[in-house]
Amino acid sequence: MTVEDVWEKSRSIIEEKVGSNIFDLWIRPIKSVQIKDQQVTLEVPNRFFKEWIEDYYPNLMSETFEGVLGQAVAVRYKISEKEAADIKRMEARLENRKTRLANRGIYLNPRYTFDNFVTGQSNQFAQAAAKAVAENPGRAYNPLFVYGGVGLGKTHLISAIGNAVIDCRQEYNVLYVSAEQFTNEVVAAIRHSKTEELKKKYRNVDILLIDDVQFVENKVQTQEELFYTINSLYEKQQQIVISSDRPPREIKTVTDRLRSRFSMGLIADIQLPEFETRVAIIQKKATKERMELKEEVIAFIASIIKTNIRELEGCLIRLGAQSSLTGKQIDIDMAKTVLKDFLQDEDKPINIEQIQKTVCEYFGLKLQDLKARKRTKEIALPRQIAMYLCKQLTKASLSDIGKNMGGKDHATVIYACNQIEDKKTKDDNFNKMVETLLRKIKP
Ligand code: ADP
Ligand code: MG
């Protein structure tokens, strides 16, 4: 058996064990394998791969190789030297691209490329579609319509198509525009009777990238112009790529014919990234910024930021800043302190004061009145409601709740809770109000 055969066989065993998702992220990128004197050396792209495999699957490699080779082997990892070179090459390409974009007046973020777009289950389909379009503009899927939530990589992905084409097909005319800017241009063109120029600009391109198209909702003239633009490009097999925060069927106030143009090619969505993908994104960015991050710090960040990749980057920037300001290494304690604002609501325990504030806001009261011994009628009921909510939503003891609500004892809190329960069953409007407050505090 050659080394290649051994590796081939081992890989399929590993893939079966870990599943294709993890396999694609962590095993497929292993660059080479050497076997010598009962030692297997795997070349990994960077030290994160080594750490990740060792942490999560400590025996996977040795067991697999032992199974395939029929004898025990030691497994070592070698960090690829290619990576440093890769980063250098990417930076050189970036400079080059920047100059070309500037010379040709194309507004496109040169950093948004396929190279630094991390894929996982959540975005694989959209990424594959985008790559196909970049390789074969006008012929693969037309239009390509990509949709997904805020900060999930729509602008990055559609820009990557533009940048890839700029890199490989110098003669191609690429145009990136946000739907907002397009709208402004349409309005200006109509006002100054320059619609011919507008047509010339948008219909003589090889690839038109339109970002955040949901912006054209309710804008009749812009929709009209967009419809004819798409038609004209489509007929000449010029590529159209569209991004949106929702699928075409949910873009309500556009004309049916425009919506049907959006749906004519391929629709691809970007979902929330899974934990593994978030980890991989953090690692990629950390490597690029030459930040030293321990596995547990990366896992911590990935566990608190779930819905927005831009926020993942925000975390890294803060940590980097903190580390260079204090001269300390980034560790888990620093991460917990620096990133406490990022803890999402579901992870943050609800406290008494937060409930009091919400109740005061709702009834137009002052926080200090609710907390003080004041006993006026306007305060009594809101205070009872606040006590009830504290009992429902916090782990605070009854006497702690009482103490914070004008120095009441725990019997008063029990009495208040019973009163509220009672009112809720008897009065539907009251019940609804309490539900509203509950939802305000815990969405
Ligand atoms: P959207 O347009 O969907 O709001 P962006 O494309 O602006 O989101 O992405 C927000 C940030 O997250 C950008 O800095 C982008 O580079 C980064 N990002 C998003 N998805 C990925 C990914 N899959 N891999 C690496 N970086 C990503
Ligand atoms: Mg965007």
Side-chain angles (χ1 to χ4, degrees):
M1 247 192 311
T2 65
V3 178
E4 282 76 32
D5 293 339
V6 173
W7 182 224
E8 196 51 47
K9 212 161 178 187
S10 308
R11 273 163 45 117
S12 58
I13 295 171
I14 294 169
E15 181 162 12
E16 216 155 88
K17 280 193 191 152
V18 301
S20 57
N21 241 338
I22 287 181
F23 184 84
D24 283 346
L25 275 173
W26 299 106
I27 309 297
R28 201 181 290 288
I30 292 177
K31 297 185 176 175
S32 73
V33 179
Q34 283 159 19
I35 305 178
K36 207 179 158 191
D37 305 333
Q38 287 168 331
Q39 177 168 312
V40 175
T41 307
L42 300 170
E43 187 188 352
V44 290
N46 58 49
R47 71 192 168 78
F48 291 128
F49 282 78
K50 167 179 178 335
E51 285 171 16
W52 194 91
I53 297 169
E54 282 176 341
D55 281 359
Y56 288 90
Y57 291 98
N59 304 316
L60 175 72
M61 290 297 175
S62 52
E63 280 171 9
T64 308
F65 282 112
E66 187 174 339
V68 174
L69 293 166
Q71 58 171 310
V73 287
V75 176
R76 299 259 177 289
Y77 295 90
K78 188 174 97 191
I79 297 183
S80 171
E81 279 156 22
K82 220 178 127 265
E83 187 179 40
D86 275 352
I87 291 182
K88 248 200 186 134
R89 194 159 345 106
M90 257 173 74
E91 277 167 4
R93 223 184 301 152
L94 176 68
E95 286 312 313
N96 195 310
R97 193 181 307 123
K98 267 188 196 161
T99 323
R100 247 174 310 136
L101 288 171
N103 286 345
R104 291 166 55 183
I106 301 172
Y107 173 74
L108 195 61
N109 186 331
R111 289 177 196 281
Y112 289 165
T113 61
F114 286 117
D115 285 340
N116 54 25
F117 190 83
V118 176
T119 55
Q121 213 167 22
S122 56
N123 57 19
Q124 218 148 44
F125 181 68
Q127 188 257 11
K131 270 203 148 156
V133 164
E135 276 157 24
N136 227 340
R139 321 259 150 168
Y141 310 108
N142 205 11
L144 172 64
F145 190 102
V146 178
Y147 75 89
V150 178
L152 295 187
K154 301 181 296 293
T155 300
H156 187 141
L157 196 56
I158 72 168
S159 304
I161 298 176
N163 282 320
V165 171
I166 300 261
D167 281 350
C168 303
R169 299 171 195 251
Q170 315 264 339
E171 74 286 4
Y172 268 54
N173 205 348
V174 178
L175 188 55
Y176 167 95
V177 69
S178 69
E180 183 173 3
Q181 191 197 332
F182 183 75
T183 305
N184 294 340
E185 289 183 30
V186 171
V187 172
I190 294 170
R191 183 177 310 142
H192 302 119
S193 316
K194 288 194 169 153
T195 48
E196 277 315 309
E197 279 163 41
L198 186 83
K199 285 195 175 77
K200 217 162 141 195
K201 172 173 174 188
Y202 282 98
R203 296 183 195 181
N204 288 322
V205 296
D206 297 294
I207 302 188
L208 178 61
L209 309 162
I210 305 169
D211 207 358
D212 288 318
V213 83
Q214 75 278 354
F215 191 84
V216 305
E217 272 196 325
N218 288 320
K219 305 193 172 67
V220 181
Q221 281 171 327
T222 307
Q223 288 179 24
E224 179 95 354
E225 190 55 43
L226 186 57
F227 173 78
Y228 287 114
T229 303
I230 294 176
N231 267 357
S232 155
L233 293 175
Y234 181 79
E235 274 163 22
K236 289 182 278 175
Q237 284 195 322
Q238 292 154 336
Q239 180 71 44
I240 306 133
V241 179
I242 302 170
S243 90
S244 163
D245 66 354
R246 59 202 102 135
R249 72 188 126 80
E250 281 173 32
I251 308 181
K252 292 285 184 229
T253 52
V254 298
T255 53
D256 286 340
R257 59 179 194 175
L258 183 58
R259 191 178 308 109
S260 89
R261 286 294 174 276
F262 290 165
S263 321
M264 201 162 52
L266 182 74
I267 300 176
D269 67 333
I270 303 184
Q271 308 257 338
L272 294 180
E274 318 74 45
F275 180 76
E276 289 84 5
T277 311
R278 301 200 297 273
V279 166
I281 290 172
I282 299 170
Q283 290 178 333
K284 184 135 200 170
K285 309 240 179 234
T287 311
K288 202 170 126 252
E289 302 301 324
R290 299 191 172 82
M291 279 170 86
E292 294 269 336
L293 287 187
K294 294 208 182 68
E295 195 60 42
E296 60 174 348
V297 174
I298 295 176
F300 173 71
I301 302 173
S303 70
I304 58 172
I305 308 289
K306 296 175 185 142
T307 57
N308 187 328
I309 293 170
R310 197 173 290 121
E311 282 186 0
L312 285 180
E313 298 175 333
C315 286
L316 290 186
I317 292 170
R318 273 209 210 184
L319 279 177
Q322 179 75 8
S323 164
S324 58
L325 287 175
T326 59
K328 287 191 188 134
Q329 286 235 325
I330 299 170
D331 61 11
I332 187 77
D333 291 329
M334 180 192 285
K336 282 187 173 156
T337 319
V338 173
L339 304 179
K340 60 179 183 304
D341 303 349
F342 282 99
L343 282 172
Q344 285 175 358
D345 293 340
E346 57 191 287
D347 304 319
K348 234 191 264 175
I350 293 166
N351 62 36
I352 296 177
E353 176 144 328
Q354 195 183 337
I355 293 174
Q356 291 174 318
K357 278 188 183 150
T358 311
V359 171
C360 286
E361 203 173 281
Y362 187 88
F363 290 101
L365 303 170
K366 286 199 198 111
L367 183 62
Q368 73 242 38
D369 289 348
L370 197 79
K371 287 178 153 185
R373 288 181 185 272
K374 209 165 180 175
R375 279 167 175 252
T376 53
K377 222 173 120 212
E378 323 62 280
I379 303 259
L381 183 66
R383 193 186 274 145
Q384 283 191 328
I385 294 174
M387 289 182 191
Y388 168 83
L389 292 170
C390 286
K391 179 160 174 278
Q392 299 289 319
L393 299 173
T394 71
K395 292 201 176 87
S397 69
L398 294 176
S399 62
D400 269 346
I401 296 175
K403 234 183 274 163
N404 281 290
M405 305 270 188
K408 311 287 187 203
D409 60 13
H410 89 283
T412 313
V413 179
I414 295 178
Y415 175 76
C417 293
N418 290 340
Q419 289 286 100
I420 300 298
E421 291 279 6
D422 194 44
K423 269 206 174 71
K424 267 168 55 110
T425 48
K426 287 185 183 143
D427 181 346
D428 199 38
N429 283 331
F430 183 81
N431 185 36
K432 278 197 188 123
M433 176 192 73
V434 176
E435 295 293 319
T436 307
L437 278 166
L438 262 171
R439 250 175 295 141
K440 267 185 195 287
I441 297 160
K442 196 177 180 186

